[in-house]
Amino acid sequence: MSIVSLQVGQCGNQIGHELFNAISGDCNGPNRKTYSECSNERFFHESPTGELVARSVLVDMEPKVVAQTISKACKSGRWRYGDEAYFSQKQGSGNNWANGFCVHGPRHKEVVEELVRREIERCDRLAGIFTMMSVAGGTGSGVGTYITQCLRDMYPQSFIFNQLTWPYGAGEVIVQNYNSVLTLSHLYQLSDAILVHENDTVHKICSRLMNIKHISINDVNKVIAHQLGSVLQPAYTADSSGYYSRNPIGELLSSVVCHPEYKLLSLCNIPHMSSTSLAYSTFNWPGLLKHLRQMLIASARMEEGIDWTVSVPSAVTSGGESGTNSRQKCFNVSIANLLILRGKDVSTAQTGKLLSNICLEAILKNVNSFSAWNSPVPFNGYQKSATLVSNSQSLLKPLDNIVRKAWDMFASRAYLHQYTKFGISEEDFLDSFTALEQIISSYTHL
């Protein structure tokens, strides 16, 4: 089954390019024929000349980013974008969500829908639609949200999986909190799941783990793409019977989105290190899994600086009540977790007791809250790597911060005129705040 990707705005287009680059590079190597065939079926189709063409549509309201993205893909020599699988124009959204959602989105709806339809018709079977965008911009978030709404109407039975990039805490755009609130409140109703990457966290990974001295946007995007690839590349699942899974998005969602009220996903991936250090490093599965478990319960995003004093209360591991007592003990409550192991000797990794006893079983009556996938093929240069996709409370703090900052601005009516002039009313803002407050409440009271 194939995944059709949608890259929207500067952020979405840059991450999408890095993702396809990582995937195409990962498929090169010995003993990877079946693995590569499955990966190519998911993400590429062949042109009449035998070239690999990404199953992706690029959208931006300014031509510069799209042109640069297409050019860089061609230079890779391994793959390219489709000749007409993109849309751009010469007028941006000016970091204004309302301009993107109410003006540019409806104005160019039919063109973008047609581009996506063409890509879907090239698939023998559609696994789902995977969108990449910023949560806080104008085109990426406003236009991206409107397009997602249209796609939900066009393909009501298909999976829609969103990847959102969270802005830096000290962002340069004063209205980024407004944009984030509007994006999240809408996408939560439209998408089957939302996977969030925080720029601040990825920046720390680049600095502290990969020892990059002068961190660029490309460095940040490569880390995000690496993490996404570690989830989306082929793997054996519990239901795949010795074959690589043919329904990656469906099986991912069934593993971690077990309740329609809980759709926010976070991701931990280890190890991360510079290429020079990687050549002299060795890893073992018990060590990787021990770190990953502690990262989960302590809500840490990288293996450096984990709080090892956080533990799971015995009342939770023994099946007792959690809720308030769990929060007082400051451990991260999970609804469901998906562990993906890739690399050498993966069959020897002992995962049975790692995560299965720290999820909130009360929410998931008779549902397995822990799933494990694996692949013996090393991923992206790492002989052993582990990824954890978690539906948990780990995004509560950044979500609460954005809502609080946006509410403070709204209470003083700051910059509201920039939204109302394009059609977003104060009532729309209040509806968005209400929706996000409900999400915060749902996760808080696990």
Side-chain angles (χ1 to χ4, degrees), residues 205 209 269-273 291 295 300-306 308:
I205 291 174
L209 301 182
N269 173 260
I270 58 174
H272 279 292
M273 59 177 54
H291 277 76
M295 289 168 68
R301 291 291 190 278
M302 59 182 186
E303 56 266 45
E304 180 181 293
I306 302 173
W308 290 93

Side-chain angles (χ1 to χ4, degrees), residues 45-188:
H45 64 84
E46 282 195 12
S47 70
T49 58
E51 297 175 290
L52 288 181
V53 181
R55 298 184 187 274
S56 187
V57 174
L58 293 73
V59 178
D60 199 5
M61 293 301 104
E62 296 179 356
K64 181 180 179 181
V65 171
V66 170
Q68 289 176 342
T69 303
I70 292 173
S71 176
K72 287 192 292 185
C74 291
K75 289 178 181 178
S76 73
R78 299 190 301 265
W79 65 281
R80 65 176 178 84
Y81 287 106
D83 293 331
E84 298 180 352
Y86 62 90
F87 172 79
S88 64
Q89 62 165 22
K90 296 183 179 181
Q91 184 179 4
S93 302
N95 291 316
N96 189 314
W97 192 93
N99 193 9
F101 184 83
C102 298
V103 179
H104 292 303
R107 182 179 295 167
H108 307 295
K109 166 188 173 181
E110 294 182 359
V111 178
V112 177
E113 285 180 343
E114 176 65 14
L115 293 175
V116 175
R117 184 188 63 77
R118 289 179 190 173
E119 286 300 324
I120 289 177
E121 288 181 350
R122 289 191 179 100
C123 304
D124 291 333
R125 290 186 300 165
L126 179 66
I129 300 171
F130 179 55
T131 71
M132 292 164 277
M133 64 182 78
S134 166
V135 73
T139 294
S141 58
V143 175
T145 301
Y146 185 84
I147 293 173
T148 303
Q149 178 177 290
C150 296
L151 294 178
R152 174 52 74 202
D153 292 338
M154 290 178 65
Y155 306 100
Q157 305 302 319
S158 297
F159 294 121
I160 297 181
F161 181 29
N162 282 99
Q163 183 275 335
L164 293 180
T165 303
W166 213 270
Y168 285 100
E172 298 179 356
V173 181
I174 191 65
V175 294
Q176 69 179 25
N177 297 307
Y178 276 166
N179 295 343
S180 300
V181 165
L182 291 165
T183 301
L184 283 167
S185 62
H186 283 73
L187 288 183
Y188 212 79

